[in-house]
Amino acid sequence: MNIVPACARPTSTVRAMARTMQLGSVAELPAAPCLASRIETGIGIDAAMLSLVHASERLVGAAVAARTVRCRVRAAGVVLELDAPSLEAIEPQRRAELAGEVGAIFAGAGLARTVNFAPYRNGSAFLVASDERA
């Protein structure tokens, strides 16, 4: 089975190809953007950084059973983005604990960063509100 021709095709085409190849369960998997998309432009990307992002997303996802978890590495720190219902369900004390645990993941690699939470918005990885630019 050769799936290389699926490269550079729209998701709908890749999903249809998977169903044709009797890979129905794979065809319906949710899209998972590349971990490198979590790193703000201008910040170096390497395997170690991607590992920190992945570990942080797994930790938070397991702790709160969120539908969507994105760990964004920005110049100003780390932002954990969760789908709105999951984010709203986390008590402030638990948010602080999770922020500390994720902060420790980065600090353990020599990358001390502040950690904050924000609601996830599809397609808004590094949009910054005008009041944040000042």
Side-chain angles (χ1 to χ4, degrees):
M1 169 180 1
N2 183 357
I3 62 169
V4 174
C7 298
R9 299 263 166 55
T11 302
S12 58
T13 301
V14 174
R15 290 182 190 280
M17 291 172 68
R19 281 189 291 276
T20 299
M21 292 186 271
Q22 300 179 349
L23 299 171
S25 62
V26 174
E28 303 311 321
L29 287 174
C34 174
L35 287 174
S37 70
R38 316 289 208 276
I39 314 298
E40 189 173 59
T41 303
I43 297 174
I45 299 173
D46 59 19
M49 178 67 78
L50 297 179
S51 179
L52 299 173
V53 168
H54 183 67
S56 298
E57 288 184 2
R58 288 181 52 108
L59 173 95
V60 174
V64 299
R67 180 173 178 221
T68 304
V69 178
R70 297 289 186 271
C71 175
R72 309 277 186 204
V73 179
R74 300 179 173 164
V78 173
V79 178
L80 297 166
E81 296 180 359
L82 280 70
D83 59 279
S86 297
L87 182 60
E88 292 167 9
I90 305 172
E91 296 293 329
Q93 176 64 31
R94 185 62 179 135
R95 280 190 201 187
E97 291 168 358
L98 288 169
E101 291 176 47
V102 170
I105 288 171
F106 280 84
L111 300 169
R113 297 273 201 275
T114 60
V115 179
N116 293 296
F117 283 84
Y120 172 77
R121 293 183 311 153
N122 191 15
S124 64
F126 295 106
L127 296 180
V128 177
S130 59
D131 61 332
E132 291 182 45
R133 291 187 181 128

